[in-house]
């Protein structure tokens, strides 16, 4: 195994932590490294990434650009969830109309860069619901990534957060396919949005901030459990190195006994281990 040392280093590191941690890495589409890679974890907002890919596929099939307008109705603007888009709309005169039209690219920006819950649900609703995304993932051969419920449904029944699940191997494989094989104009726009993601700077991107690597990633963050532990803190992405090599990585942390900053630091440390092992070859 070419990356046997990395495999052992990650295994020992993960086992030393007071949390359930899954890691999967796909290097240049060939080499694979994983720890708890086949275990299911709640994706949380990482699931907005496959939703965006399914939307892009729908637009390709219908020959639509990302400046195509999407209708936003007043009932789409839930105020009891995380939604910078809703805050901006409600504070402006745009809300005076019964129906607001927003370019698809702007919705995706809120959804992927800021992890906006209402933007995600509007996109999912436009696709006809979660089953469309599930079917799309099946068509491209991705298993162990499951989109089952909307953000609104998870808000009403938090236990549904566990249904929107993925294994680290499944998510790393999806990131690998996206990074290497999807290079049409819509995919390039998604890659740009993910490379300028405003959430999770202390996670996967942190140890690569002073390098020339490009990190496209999507975060997911859960709630605090009754016993004070963190339900889940996640990050998954695709890293392009200056020499043309690349790798995908998924780090899922469930039931963390640490605070948010410490849990994010675990993801950053794992990211640094992987970057060091890949870039040194």
């Amino acid at each position: 195994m070419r990356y046997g040392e990395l495999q052992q280093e990650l295994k020992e590191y993960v086992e030393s932590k007071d949390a359930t941690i899954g890691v999967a890495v796909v290097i240049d589409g060939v080499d694979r490294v994983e720890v708890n890679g086949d275990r299911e974890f709640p994706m949380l907002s990482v699931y907005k990434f496959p939703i965006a890919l399914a939307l892009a596929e729908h637009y390709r099939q219908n020959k639509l650009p990302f400046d195509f307008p999407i209708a936003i109705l007043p009932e789409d603007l839930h105020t009891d969830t995380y939604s910078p888009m809703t805050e901006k709309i409600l504070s402006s005169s745009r809300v005076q109309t019964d129906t607001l039209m927003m370019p698809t690219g702007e919705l995706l920006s809120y959804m992927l860069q800021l992890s906006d819950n209402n933007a995600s649900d509007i996109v999912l609703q436009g696709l006809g619901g979660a089953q469309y995304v599930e079917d799309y993932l099946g068509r491209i051969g991705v298993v162990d990534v499951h989109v089952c419920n909307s953000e609104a449904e998870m808000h009403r029944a938090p236990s549904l957060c566990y249904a929107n699940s993925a294994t680290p191997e499944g998510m790393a494989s999806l990131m690998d396919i996206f990074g290497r094989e999807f290079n049409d104009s819509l995919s390039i726009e998604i890659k740009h949005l993910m490379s300028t993601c405003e959430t999770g700077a202390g996670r996967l991107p942190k140890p690569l901030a002073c390098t020339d690597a490009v990190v496209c990633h999507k975060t997911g963050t859960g709630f605090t459990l009754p016993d004070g532990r963190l339900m889940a803190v996640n990050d998954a992405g695709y890293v392009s190195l200056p020499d043309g090599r690349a790798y995908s990585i998924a780090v899922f942390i469930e039931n963390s006994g640490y605070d948010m900053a410490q849990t994010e630091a675990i993801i950053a440390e794992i990211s640094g281990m992987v970057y060091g092992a890949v870039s040194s070859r």
Side-chain angles (χ1 to χ4, degrees), residues 87-281:
E87 293 178 10
K88 183 175 181 179
I89 291 173
L90 293 180
S91 66
S92 73
S93 59
R94 299 169 75 181
V95 76
Q96 300 303 317
T97 59
D98 290 335
T99 302
L100 168 69
M101 305 301 292
M102 181 176 289
T104 301
E106 189 174 349
L107 268 174
L108 285 175
S109 176
Y110 279 115
M111 174 176 156
L112 294 175
Q113 291 180 310
L114 297 173
S115 207
D116 192 293
N117 291 339
N118 285 338
S120 177
D121 277 0
I122 291 167
V123 168
L124 189 63
Q125 179 178 314
L127 290 172
Q131 190 60 51
Y132 183 93
V133 185
E134 281 277 289
D135 293 343
Y136 164 73
L137 292 171
R139 288 196 300 272
I140 64 173
V142 172
V143 296
D144 297 331
V145 176
H146 300 292
V147 175
C148 303
N149 302 101
S150 68
E151 291 284 354
E153 289 169 336
M154 288 188 284
H155 184 79
R156 290 193 294 269
S159 62
L160 294 178
C161 292
Y162 292 93
N164 288 323
S165 67
T167 65
E169 288 180 333
M171 182 53 64
S173 294
L174 179 59
M175 284 286 180
D176 174 66
I177 293 170
F178 173 66
R180 289 188 303 108
E181 300 180 12
F182 286 35
N183 294 299
D184 61 282
S185 61
L186 300 184
S187 296
I188 289 172
E189 189 164 345
I190 290 174
K191 289 177 181 180
H192 170 70
L193 292 173
M194 292 176 64
S195 69
T196 53
C197 178
E198 296 185 26
T199 62
R203 300 183 194 182
L204 289 179
K206 185 174 182 179
L208 282 64
C210 297
T211 73
D212 292 325
V214 177
V215 184
C216 299
H217 71 121
K218 184 68 197 78
T219 58
T221 305
F223 47 83
T224 302
L225 297 169
D227 61 2
R229 300 174 75 89
L230 293 179
M231 175 209 174
V233 180
N234 305 326
D235 205 358
Y238 188 80
V239 180
S240 301
L241 303 180
D243 62 6
R245 293 183 300 151
Y247 63 90
S248 63
I249 177 172
V251 183
F252 293 156
I253 302 179
E254 186 177 5
N255 196 35
S256 173
Y258 308 99
D259 64 24
M260 182 60 69
Q262 292 169 321
T263 307
E264 289 190 315
I266 291 173
I267 297 177
E269 288 172 8
I270 290 171
S271 177
M273 291 177 199
V274 173
Y275 173 77
V278 176
S279 62
S280 64
R281 283 185 174 267

